[in-house]
Amino acid sequence: MDPLLLISILPVIILLGYIYLKDKNEREPIGLLLKAFFSGTLVAVLILLWSFVEGIIGIHLTAFAENSAILKSFFQAAIPEEGLKLLFLYWLIWKNKEFNEHFDGIVYAVFVSMGFACIENILYVYGGGFETGVVRALLAVPGHFLFAVIMGYFFSRARFTPLNRGRLLLMAFVCPVLAHGLYDTLCFAMDMYGEATGLSSVLNVLFIAFDIKLWQIGLKAIRTHCHVCGAKIPKGEINCPCCKQLAENLE
Ligand SMILES: [Zn+2]
């Protein structure tokens, strides 16, 4: 297999396998998971098509964001990417009968997001080479995984908590956008201002600290909430205090 293709898709496969195997209580059907994955690839294709159309008609809607790390991160990446991922997740999963447990929202959100990340990663790695592939396997692809865990967590809370549905669905959009936007802002800021301002090392440290924090948030969403009902399970408990599900299913 072409090493560039391998390094592009290996992190995607590992993260998909991880989340699939974590869903111990009731595994999701492969057909629906594949649909979620391919709808994520469609998001990537739509965004590519859009920039192609913008090029042809000569109008760039987000041209104002080009020279600012923070505007570029939010308007050219986080908002369109997370927004479309959430739309496809909603269309495909919200009313599906297979979406019957809290953890399912996280699983399907990760499959959508990894579909997107897979296409994006192949394009970047073939453009930048093997070294780019290694860096992206450790940072960008897990980044898309973690944004999806955050999205899926609130998406499920919204689905199974009718009282606060509107607010929680908004959180399923805003929280991954904030995570993705800040993540990219730090990356772009290193490229755009790092050397000129002499702040490269400060931005590097900030980026690493932010990445560690994102991992902590993501793993907490996966490991400390009941996979069936979403309730927080206190440390040391054998069963979920809410639905009595065995807590060991989280490990
Ligand atoms: Zn429970």
Side-chain angles (χ1 to χ4, degrees):
M1 193 183 205
D2 180 4
L4 285 183
L5 187 61
L6 186 68
I7 193 73
S8 305
I9 61 173
L10 195 61
V12 170
I13 293 170
I14 290 173
L15 291 167
L16 287 179
Y18 169 75
I19 208 73
Y20 177 74
L21 294 175
K22 271 278 173 205
D23 189 21
K24 288 178 189 161
N25 199 49
E26 187 191 291
R27 293 261 154 82
E28 299 311 298
I30 299 290
L32 193 56
L33 291 171
L34 284 176
K35 270 189 194 166
F37 181 83
F38 285 113
S39 60
T41 64
L42 194 60
V43 170
V45 172
L46 284 176
I47 286 177
L48 278 174
L49 273 179
W50 176 250
S51 54
F52 186 65
V53 169
E54 279 191 327
I56 291 177
I57 59 177
I59 298 170
H60 296 276
L61 279 186
T62 56
F64 67 90
E66 201 54 52
N67 296 315
S68 152
I70 188 160
L71 293 179
K72 193 177 160 81
S73 304
F74 278 88
F75 288 95
Q76 293 189 352
I79 294 172
E81 290 174 14
E82 299 307 321
L84 283 174
K85 284 181 198 168
L86 182 60
L87 268 183
F88 277 82
L89 179 67
Y90 186 88
W91 280 332
L92 191 67
I93 302 303
W94 185 260
K95 287 191 174 159
N96 197 295
K97 65 174 174 28
E98 301 293 346
F99 184 19
N100 56 357
E101 289 180 342
H102 171 80
F103 196 64
D104 299 348
I106 294 179
V107 174
Y108 289 114
V110 165
F111 270 74
V112 171
S113 194
M114 288 295 99
F116 175 85
C118 187
I119 300 290
E120 188 191 60
N121 210 34
I122 289 171
L123 294 173
Y124 273 105
V125 172
Y126 274 85
F130 195 79
E131 204 177 302
T132 305
V134 174
V135 174
R136 289 187 58 88
L138 296 173
L139 297 172
V141 180
H144 277 287
F145 169 81
L146 295 167
F147 311 147
V149 170
I150 296 170
M151 179 184 289
Y153 171 81
F154 286 108
F155 186 73
S156 281
R157 297 251 338 248
R159 179 69 179 78
F160 301 117
T161 322
L163 270 181
N164 282 324
R165 187 160 280 168
R167 189 179 64 87
L168 288 164
L169 262 182
L170 188 65
M171 298 278 276
F173 172 66
V174 171
C175 293
V177 162
L178 276 178
H180 190 161
L182 291 173
Y183 189 95
D184 281 11
T185 298
L186 290 168
C187 290
F188 290 147
M190 279 189 270
D191 284 347
M192 292 163 77
Y193 329 119
E195 270 184 41
T197 56
L199 291 175
S200 286
S201 44
V202 176
L203 289 166
N204 262 316
V205 171
L206 276 176
F207 177 76
I208 293 165
F210 187 70
D211 195 34
I212 291 172
K213 190 72 207 161
L214 266 187
W215 271 108
Q216 286 172 340
I217 292 170
L219 291 176
K220 209 170 150 192
I222 293 171
R223 304 184 68 172
T224 65
H225 288 265
C226 173
H227 284 191
V228 176
C229 73
K232 198 167 181 345
I233 299 185
K235 233 182 180 163
E237 285 288 328
I238 295 169
N239 296 97
C240 167
C242 178
C243 71
K244 309 299 172 205
Q245 179 68 30
L246 258 184
E248 69 183 18
N249 276 358
L250 302 176
E251 294 306 320

